[in-house]
Amino acid sequence: MTLLDKDGVHLTADDAIATVTLTNPDKRNAQSPATWRALVEAGQALPGSVRVVVLRAEGKSFSAGLDRQAFTPEGFDGEPSFPELARRSDPELDAVIAGYQEAFTWWRRHDLISVAAVQGHAIGAGFQLALACDLRVCADDAQFAMRETSLGLVPDLTGTHPLVSLVGYARALEICLTGRFVHAEEAERTGLANLVVPAAELDAAVRDLTAALLAAPRDAVIETKALLRGSGERTYEEQRAAERAAQARRLRDLAGLGE
């Protein structure tokens, strides 16, 4: 069932599985503020039955990043250009960027598991969109690059936190400052990619992973995700306590004694 189809973003849902597809292959799925608003709408339109969201892209590239029209004086029709944004007050500029970031935040909702299926180039905003997901399955031709710093900017679409969490500070710094390509083999070796498969097998690999994710009971998945997501902010003893509390809830639910 199609729930959204606008501005290069297509959303379908079939019971527990939703698929968000980037549909502008002629521009290598380059992104714009309109793309980001559509992605926010996609997150808001998800039915409550959805447990796994797959993010994929049409064409040879996952996403070439921010549409270069953003760097022109005129920018996009109906959107503030970069020079115009630069003239705004700090609170106004902060609010604009926060709005852009909303397209990248909902993928880690506690009640969902998000899987990015990445082929070809995932550059800048494309890299950060893949990083926004919980898991990444990559074709063997996948190439990631964080080009913002090379353009005099910084990565500001929520990608820095997951990048450091996945590969560590030193490697994340080197990837961002050099803007180099991280190829599929390195992505898998360093933890950026959960799985790398031949390009022809990408869809099948995502289907297999999705089926495996759906095999476990939903409440147990939600509790486990919350435990793992919060572990970096807790001490060892706090994590032990969180495990005990989560297990107590699960045992009571399984015994029919939940609230």
Side-chain angles (χ1 to χ4, degrees):
M1 176 175 60
T2 297
L3 300 176
L4 181 76
D5 190 7
K6 63 185 296 188
D7 296 318
V9 175
H10 185 77
L11 168 66
T12 61
D14 182 7
D15 192 20
I17 304 171
T19 302
V20 176
T21 306
L22 303 179
T23 59
N24 193 6
D26 290 342
K27 298 192 74 172
R28 295 197 300 162
N29 297 305
Q31 301 173 35
S32 68
T35 310
W36 299 333
R37 285 193 295 271
L39 287 171
V40 172
E41 287 188 45
Q44 295 169 341
L46 292 177
S49 61
V50 170
R51 295 180 54 190
V52 176
V53 181
V54 176
L55 171 62
R56 57 181 300 275
E58 294 180 352
K60 295 182 178 180
S61 292
F62 179 76
S63 175
L66 180 62
D67 191 320
R68 289 302 180 98
Q69 188 172 333
F71 296 95
T72 64
E74 61 273 14
F76 301 101
D77 289 342
E79 306 286 349
S81 66
F82 276 16
E84 181 184 343
L85 286 175
R87 289 191 292 269
R88 294 190 178 186
S89 68
D90 286 348
E92 290 174 325
L93 185 53
D94 183 80
V96 170
I97 297 173
Y100 296 161
Q101 289 176 330
E102 288 299 313
F104 297 76
T105 57
W106 64 264
W107 304 90
R108 289 177 177 255
R109 273 171 39 183
H110 73 280
D111 58 330
L112 301 172
I113 303 297
S114 52
V115 181
V118 181
Q119 80 280 4
H121 295 96
I123 299 173
F127 191 1
Q128 293 186 78
L129 189 55
L131 286 167
C133 293
D134 295 307
L135 307 172
R136 282 151 297 282
V137 179
C138 298
D140 54 9
D141 66 347
Q143 300 181 62
F144 299 95
M146 202 73 83
R147 292 289 172 79
E148 287 82 353
T149 308
S150 303
L151 297 171
L153 302 170
V154 300
D156 66 338
L157 298 172
T158 79
T160 56
H161 188 280
L163 181 62
V164 172
S165 297
L166 289 166
V167 305
Y169 162 74
R171 190 179 296 270
L173 182 66
E174 178 257 328
I175 288 171
C176 290
L177 298 193
T178 64
R180 70 174 177 85
F181 281 114
V182 178
H183 296 271
E185 182 276 331
E186 181 184 355
E188 186 175 34
R189 174 166 46 83
T190 58
L192 277 175
N194 295 85
L195 179 67
V196 171
V197 298
E201 299 175 14
L202 182 60
D203 289 343
V206 172
R207 285 195 299 270
D208 289 346
L209 176 58
T210 299
L213 294 170
L214 292 174
R218 181 170 196 168
D219 288 343
V221 170
I222 291 172
E223 291 277 14
T224 301
K225 180 175 179 177
L227 272 175
L228 296 174
R229 284 289 306 279
S231 64
E233 301 172 359
R234 302 187 190 106
T235 66
Y236 178 74
E237 292 302 324
E238 289 170 340
Q239 184 70 0
R240 288 181 61 202
E243 290 174 0
R244 295 195 299 271
Q247 193 70 300
R249 287 191 294 271
R250 298 304 312 127
L251 290 171
R252 291 193 182 100
D253 285 345
L254 291 173
L257 301 174
E259 296 181 359

